[in-house]
Amino acid sequence: MSIIEDTAAYEAWLRSQCKVVEDDLLAKHQRMRKSPFALLRATYYRWARRIEEICPELAEAPVALCVGDIHLENFGTWRDADGRWVWGVNDFDEAARMPYAFDLVRLTTSIELAPDMAIDSRDAADAILQGYRDGLKHPRPALLDEHEIWIRPYVKCSDDCRRAFWEEINGLAAADAIPSAVRKLLTASLPEQAKNAAFFHRFAGGGSRGRPRYVVVATWRGGRVVREAKALVPSAWT
């Protein structure tokens, strides 16, 4: 199948899984045209169909629970339940059991395709393999206040990033017809005594763009809190 046929087939399947936001899907098509990296991010279904043909020697690698749609921009930071600053993979939409080596190949491919990368792709591949080996030997979270301090300058949030985030939140479109079950779950996720809850649509992401996303914004103890819900569908790998 051509990539156009693959895309049409995947989107027809997606419509059977959730109520697709058609305008957002059209925006995704435009984004896919911007660069090979953007295309890779947006077409995991194509990767899933082709990777065993492209790398047949890896299809027999041991099977593990993998990220699937892993790429350079699928990493970020967050605070865990104990307030620890953690760095790692933050999107598991396409997680599934598959030959583990496919995750390594896809991550390395994304670095090869990413614009303005100041690292040789062979050096990047070596670093990924070494990091994977180290993680198998000593599995633990990447804690930026304790173990992986060297990462901090590369991932810290700047004032511009904070400003851009709140500008996006302020510009969200009101959600008039949010499903009642989603509204109930988003409300339940807020801290106790949160007030003035308002619901919005959000359009974001690469591969998952087109799925409905809803956001609730409320006030709590002098500031705003935000929660998001996104439609969950099976991994394209399966």
Side-chain angles (χ1 to χ4, degrees):
M1 295 176 70
S2 71
I3 192 169
I4 294 175
E5 292 170 320
D6 255 351
T7 299
Y10 171 75
E11 292 174 357
W13 169 82
L14 186 64
R15 292 185 183 95
S16 74
Q17 301 296 316
C18 68
K19 186 176 181 180
V20 168
V21 183
E22 298 293 343
D23 288 345
D24 207 23
L25 211 55
L26 293 176
K28 176 181 175 180
H29 294 169
Q30 295 296 326
R31 183 174 180 174
M32 287 161 63
R33 297 186 178 101
K34 288 186 176 181
S35 70
F37 179 75
L39 183 66
L40 179 79
R41 280 198 56 182
T43 55
Y44 177 70
Y45 52 88
R46 177 71 171 180
W47 173 276
R49 185 189 293 278
R50 296 293 311 283
I51 187 59
E52 290 175 299
E53 300 172 20
I54 296 170
C55 298
E57 70 279 9
L58 300 182
E60 300 303 320
V63 171
L65 181 59
C66 296
V67 179
D69 184 22
I70 191 167
H71 52 76
L72 192 62
E73 293 185 347
N74 195 352
F75 293 83
T77 63
W78 61 90
R79 295 282 180 179
D80 70 7
D82 290 311
R84 299 183 303 177
W85 191 13
V86 188
W87 175 87
V89 175
N90 60 12
D91 186 341
F92 296 92
D93 282 353
E94 303 290 357
R97 292 181 59 81
M98 66 188 73
Y100 80 94
F102 290 160
D103 262 9
L104 303 178
V105 172
R106 184 169 173 83
L107 179 57
T108 306
T109 300
S110 76
I111 294 174
E112 175 72 18
L113 296 179
D116 303 322
M117 285 298 294
I119 184 173
D120 178 77
S121 56
R122 171 57 62 181
D123 292 339
D126 290 343
I128 288 170
L129 288 172
Q130 187 59 52
Y132 197 83
R133 293 188 189 103
D134 292 345
L136 290 174
K137 291 179 182 178
H138 306 289
R140 67 185 186 190
L143 301 177
L144 304 190
D145 290 325
E146 187 174 352
H147 303 136
E148 311 298 343
I149 295 175
W150 66 272
I151 299 178
R152 293 166 63 171
Y154 302 99
V155 299
K156 65 181 180 181
C157 183
S158 67
D159 289 343
D160 287 340
C161 289
R162 292 185 177 89
R163 189 178 302 109
F165 172 80
W166 287 112
E167 286 177 354
E168 179 190 357
I169 296 299
N170 293 335
L172 292 177
D176 299 323
I178 180 172
S180 59
V182 177
R183 181 186 292 270
K184 183 177 179 180
L185 288 169
L186 282 172
T187 301
S189 74
L190 292 170
E192 290 186 16
Q193 299 180 350
K195 300 176 181 179
N196 305 317
F199 297 87
F200 303 91
H201 292 286
R202 183 170 182 241
F203 307 104
S208 63
R209 188 174 284 252
R211 303 184 198 180
R213 289 174 179 252
Y214 299 101
V215 172
V216 60
V217 183
T219 57
W220 181 65
R221 294 184 179 178
R224 286 184 289 177
V225 290
V226 183
R227 300 287 189 271
E228 180 184 73
K230 177 174 63 174
L232 180 66
V233 304
S235 169
W237 179 262
T238 60

